[in-house]
Amino acid sequence: MTNKKESFLINRIKSVGFAFKGAFLLLKTEASIKIQFCIALLVTVAGFYYNISSNEWIVQLLAIGLVMSAEGMNTAIEEIANFIHPERHNKIGLIKDIAAGAVFIASIFASIIGLIIYLPKIF
């Protein structure tokens, strides 16, 4: 019995579906990404209000994408660490702290970008 291999296009469509499912799960279940999503909406509204330039939009969107992607990776790392070792363990704690630190670094730089873009427009 041979299985008919699915086409490249069908596999890509399925992959996009899984990605949407993952993004939806993040937004539905993770408090930190909900906050980041709200901040993203606020700075997007601010971008329209202050009529930021194309380059400022590009940098702002990259910063938003970086922070939210890092948060998604952090969540995935935490989930797999909890699955592998559900009890408290120093090494698992270190791994989780490092992943959270990556999100923190991305958030700090995104905040600096926001200040660079909006402080001159506000004051």
Side-chain angles (χ1 to χ4, degrees):
M1 181 173 176
T2 58
N3 286 340
K4 188 175 178 187
K5 201 170 188 182
E6 292 182 335
S7 73
F8 177 80
L9 181 62
I10 296 297
N11 283 330
R12 297 297 55 93
I13 291 170
K14 285 183 177 181
S15 293
V16 170
F18 295 139
F20 270 111
K21 178 183 175 186
F24 179 75
L25 284 171
L26 269 173
L27 283 168
K28 183 179 172 187
T29 62
E30 293 299 314
S32 54
I33 203 139
K34 288 176 186 176
I35 293 166
Q36 293 160 355
F37 185 74
C38 289
I39 292 168
L41 288 176
L42 285 172
V43 295
T44 299
V45 169
F48 286 112
Y49 180 80
Y50 289 106
N51 196 29
I52 63 176
S53 71
S54 294
N55 287 338
E56 289 168 328
W57 273 114
I58 291 167
V59 173
Q60 177 172 295
L61 291 171
L62 283 171
I64 290 168
L66 175 66
V67 171
M68 293 184 78
S69 295
E71 185 61 53
M73 293 303 295
N74 177 51
T75 300
I77 289 167
E78 286 181 356
E79 288 293 324
I80 199 165
N82 291 340
F83 179 77
I84 291 170
H85 207 294
E87 311 84 50
R88 170 124 175 78
H89 189 277
N90 288 340
K91 198 65 166 175
I92 294 294
L94 175 67
I95 291 165
K96 291 166 128 184
D97 289 347
I98 291 169
V103 178
F104 179 71
I105 290 167
S107 298
I108 292 296
F109 279 91
S111 298
I112 292 168
I113 288 167
L115 292 172
I116 290 169
I117 292 172
Y118 292 107
L119 280 180
K121 293 170 181 5
I122 293 169
F123 296 107

